[in-house]
């Protein structure tokens, strides 16, 4: 299959070229030329299939033309060595728990798949080395670093904003060593993402290094995230609850919900999506006005969603031909302030809702249902993308009468190792060539 750029000013690329390049030469994001509908027989029997079996069928629709069947099966099965259960919370509300992978974050799926697919292409072409660039506001960095750790021929540079990533998540990628380098940026996530994008446009840098990106701008990172939407449907279908499935997705860079939309385009019967934003509500405002107006990101309690210019909006916009009416017919929005998040957690701490300690929905989505406007017969699946552990330095002080921040930092210690970069030094001509 060929892949085209959302900016429509670059030549089409093969899957290998799209994966290795990450970003198209015209700064657009790669999109598959065709989205194959899965056959009716697949959905008729989906409840009897394992997660790996479902994912393999979906993967063949995306990647089957470019990857040998046996190799693709190995990639899928090795990637999905953990479960993604849909847990009933109450009545018609479910949480799809995406935090059972090695780094306890939903991005383990995409990162592990991409690491294995990229290694497949490197071996196939006999390449010697490639550098993976990734910008992170928390869980992406840890998932990518651990997914690529020790993979021969691949070096990973993780760019993250200073002071805006939880210490535990930071330690998941700054303490690994080997083929992982952490680069601390004196800025916000958007600065990190801009540096990654501009690195691909730096001709001199690209002449000396073969670069790719492991952010959701890479098709090999975001497309595999469609796997678990199909699996969620399968689990609900097994309980005769798959009709009127509505999926609520906490959204930052919009790679996750974008993968869900691709699943819908492949025939998955999702009734509607809800994109949940924190105070960085650029997409929410777009849904209301039809105007997309990116802004510098704001730091919030839900730091993993602190994105002021979500890259994958370009894919959503392209997929629907720029039609605001089509987008809003499938996607609605919700937005939450820090005060709403605090109030929700404090209230449910008092009510002893133990679910809060098992998973974290970022913006307390589960407990502010009236805002979500769910129909009486709808089955709501909330994407539970991380656990409390990953965000405890932010959340625990809100919930408890004492502050354990110092104890946790002491526990983690000074094991981390990173390069510090001040973006103010090269705001006009940013480059990673010297790092």
């Amino acid at each position: 299959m060929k892949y085209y750029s959302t900016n429509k000013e670059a030549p089409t690329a093969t899957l290998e070229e799209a994966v290795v390049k990450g970003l198209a030469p015209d700064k657009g994001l790669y999109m598959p030329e065709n989205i194959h509908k899965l056959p009716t027989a697949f959905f008729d029997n989906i409840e009897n299939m394992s997660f790996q079996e479902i994912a393999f069928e979906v993967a063949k629709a995306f990647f089957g033309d470019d990857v040998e069947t046996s190799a693709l099966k190995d990639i899928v099965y090795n990637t999905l060595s953990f479960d993604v259960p849909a847990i009933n919370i109450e009545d018609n509300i479910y949480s799809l728990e995406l935090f059972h992978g090695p780094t306890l974050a939903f991005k383990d799926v995409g990162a592990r798949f991409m690491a294995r697919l990229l290694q497949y292409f490197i071996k196939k072409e006999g390449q010697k080395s490639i550098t993976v660039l990734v910008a992170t506001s928390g869980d992406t960095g840890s998932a990518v670093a651990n997914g690529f750790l020790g993979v021969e021929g691949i070096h990973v540079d993780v760019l993250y904003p200073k002071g805006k990533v939880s210490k535990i998540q930071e330690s998941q990628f700054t303490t690994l060593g080997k083929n992982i380098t952490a680069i601390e940026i004196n800025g916000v996530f958007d600065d990190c993402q801009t540096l990654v994008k501009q690195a691909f446009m730096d001709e001199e840098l690209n002449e000396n290094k073969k670069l790719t990106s492991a952010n959701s701008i890479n098709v090999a990172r975001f497309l595999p995230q469609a796997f678990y939407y199909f699996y969620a449907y399968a689990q609900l279908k097994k309980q005769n609850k798959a009709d009127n499935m509505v999926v609520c997705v906490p959204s930052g860079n919009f790679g996750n919900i974008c993968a869900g939309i691709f699943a819908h385009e492949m025939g998955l019967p999702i009734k509607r999506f809800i994109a949940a934003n924190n105070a960085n509500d650029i997409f929410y405002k777009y849904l209301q006005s039809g105007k997309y107006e990116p802004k510098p990101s704001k730091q919030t309690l839900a730091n993993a969603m602190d994105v002021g210019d979500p890259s994958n909006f370009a894919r959503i916009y392209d997929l629907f031909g720029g039609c605001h009416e089509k987008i809003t017919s499938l996607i609605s929005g919700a937005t939450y302030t820090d005060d709403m998040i605090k109030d929700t957690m404090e209230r449910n701490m008092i009510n002893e809702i133990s679910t809060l300690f098992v998973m974290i929905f970022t913006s307390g989505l589960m407990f502010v249902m009236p805002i979500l406007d769910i129909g009486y017969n709808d089955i709501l699946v909330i994407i539970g993308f991380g656990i409390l552990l990953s965000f405890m330095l932010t959340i625990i002080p809100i919930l408890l009468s004492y502050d354990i921040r110092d104890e946790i930092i002491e526990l983690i210690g000074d094991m981390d190792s990173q390069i510090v970069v001040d973006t103010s030094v090269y705001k006009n001509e940013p480059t990673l060539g010297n790092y």
Side-chain angles (χ1 to χ4, degrees):
M1 185 187 296
K2 293 290 186 178
Y3 290 77
Y4 68 91
S5 168
T6 53
N7 285 343
K8 309 291 196 304
E9 295 181 2
T12 57
T14 64
L15 173 63
E16 181 178 352
E17 289 169 340
V19 171
V20 172
K21 289 180 180 177
L23 196 67
D26 62 356
K27 302 183 182 180
L29 305 189
Y30 281 115
M31 292 276 285
E33 284 190 332
N34 300 296
I35 300 177
H36 299 301
K37 294 280 187 181
L38 292 171
T40 301
F42 169 74
F43 292 104
D44 288 343
N45 188 51
I46 195 171
E47 71 273 23
N48 299 314
M49 301 170 69
S50 70
F51 186 20
Q52 291 89 344
E53 289 170 337
I54 292 169
F56 180 47
E57 292 302 316
V58 177
K60 284 193 292 185
F62 279 132
F63 309 116
D65 294 340
D66 303 282
V67 182
E68 297 171 0
T69 302
S70 59
L72 184 59
K73 186 173 184 178
D74 286 343
I75 290 170
V76 170
Y77 277 64
N78 288 333
T79 295
L80 303 177
S81 59
F82 50 91
D83 195 21
V84 178
I87 304 299
N88 181 242
I89 304 302
E90 60 180 45
D91 300 329
N92 289 341
I93 304 173
Y94 288 78
S95 163
L96 186 64
E97 295 187 349
L98 303 183
F99 46 78
H100 294 280
T103 69
L104 312 177
F106 80 93
K107 293 170 184 176
D108 281 325
V109 174
R112 286 165 61 84
F113 184 93
M114 181 186 170
R116 287 153 178 77
L117 182 62
L118 191 56
Q119 187 177 43
Y120 167 81
F121 284 135
I122 287 175
K123 289 182 177 179
K124 180 182 176 183
E125 300 300 326
Q127 298 175 14
K128 292 183 178 180
S129 65
I130 190 168
T131 298
V132 175
L133 301 179
V134 58
T136 186
S137 57
D139 47 5
T140 298
S142 55
V144 170
N146 282 270
F148 283 88
L149 182 64
V151 176
E152 187 177 352
I154 300 176
H155 188 90
V156 178
D157 290 334
V158 182
L159 285 73
Y160 68 103
K162 182 178 181 179
K164 296 176 176 62
V165 175
S166 76
K167 188 65 177 179
I168 288 177
Q169 288 183 321
E170 183 179 348
S171 295
Q172 285 181 317
F173 55 79
T174 60
T175 62
L176 297 175
K178 296 185 178 180
N179 60 325
I180 310 298
T181 299
I183 303 176
E184 185 181 69
I185 303 297
N186 286 325
V188 296
F189 170 77
D190 293 331
D191 294 319
C192 302
Q193 186 162 256
T194 297
L195 282 170
V196 169
K197 289 181 178 180
Q198 291 178 334
F200 288 104
M201 301 300 115
D202 188 318
E203 293 183 6
E204 182 179 353
L205 180 59
N206 281 268
E207 287 176 1
N208 294 302
K209 286 187 176 183
K210 196 169 188 66
L211 301 177
T212 190
S213 173
N215 281 92
S216 56
I217 62 174
N218 196 302
V219 293
R221 244 292 311 278
F222 99 90
L223 284 177
Q225 293 175 169
F227 298 162
Y228 45 72
Y229 288 91
F230 288 93
Y231 186 46
Y233 175 80
Q235 293 177 74
L236 293 182
K237 190 168 186 279
K238 202 166 190 175
Q239 303 174 50
N240 297 314
K241 288 193 171 185
D243 296 335
N244 299 316
M245 177 176 163
V246 175
V247 182
C248 184
V249 188
S251 300
N253 214 21
F254 279 74
N256 198 346
I257 194 170
C258 190
I261 295 168
F262 269 69
H264 177 268
E265 294 299 301
M266 296 175 76
L268 184 63
I270 295 176
K271 180 179 178 181
R272 184 162 55 92
F273 290 92
I274 302 170
N277 290 157
N278 57 18
N280 296 281
D281 56 358
I282 286 78
F283 185 76
Y284 176 77
K285 289 180 177 177
Y286 165 78
L287 293 175
Q288 309 306 309
S289 68
K291 297 179 181 179
Y292 180 69
E293 299 175 330
K295 299 177 180 178
S297 60
K298 304 173 184 176
Q299 186 171 2
T300 73
L301 290 175
N303 65 287
M305 296 160 58
D306 290 349
V307 182
D309 186 8
S311 293
N312 286 287
F313 174 79
R315 285 192 169 113
I316 296 173
Y317 191 81
D318 181 88
L319 191 61
F320 292 97
C323 180
H324 181 257
E325 183 178 354
K326 289 182 179 179
I327 293 173
T328 55
S329 68
L330 182 63
I331 312 169
S332 57
T335 182
Y336 304 90
T337 65
D338 277 0
D339 285 341
M340 292 171 68
I341 297 171
K342 288 179 182 178
D343 290 346
T344 296
M345 289 190 290
E346 289 171 352
R347 181 172 69 252
N348 290 287
M349 176 68 173
I350 295 172
N351 293 338
E352 296 182 350
I353 297 180
S354 60
T355 304
L356 186 62
F357 298 96
V358 179
M359 68 196 84
I360 176 67
F361 292 122
T362 298
S363 296
L365 300 173
M366 201 173 67
F367 307 112
V368 282
M369 297 304 299
I371 297 178
L372 298 183
D373 189 26
I374 303 303
Y376 179 76
N377 294 318
D378 289 343
I379 304 296
L380 177 67
V381 177
I382 301 173
I383 301 299
F385 69 83
I387 64 170
L388 187 63
L389 175 67
S390 299
F391 306 94
M392 63 190 304
L393 297 184
T394 299
I395 294 168
I396 289 293
I398 299 171
L399 298 178
L400 302 181
S401 58
Y402 57 90
D403 192 334
I404 63 169
R405 190 177 278 103
D406 292 340
E407 287 83 353
I408 295 297
I409 292 175
E410 183 178 352
L411 177 65
I412 295 171
D414 294 321
M415 299 179 296
D416 54 337
S417 175
Q418 66 271 81
I419 298 169
V420 180
V421 177
D422 187 349
T423 58
S424 64
V425 174
Y426 48 88
K427 277 290 185 181
N428 295 325
E429 296 291 338
T431 177
L432 292 175
N434 296 325
Y435 299 96

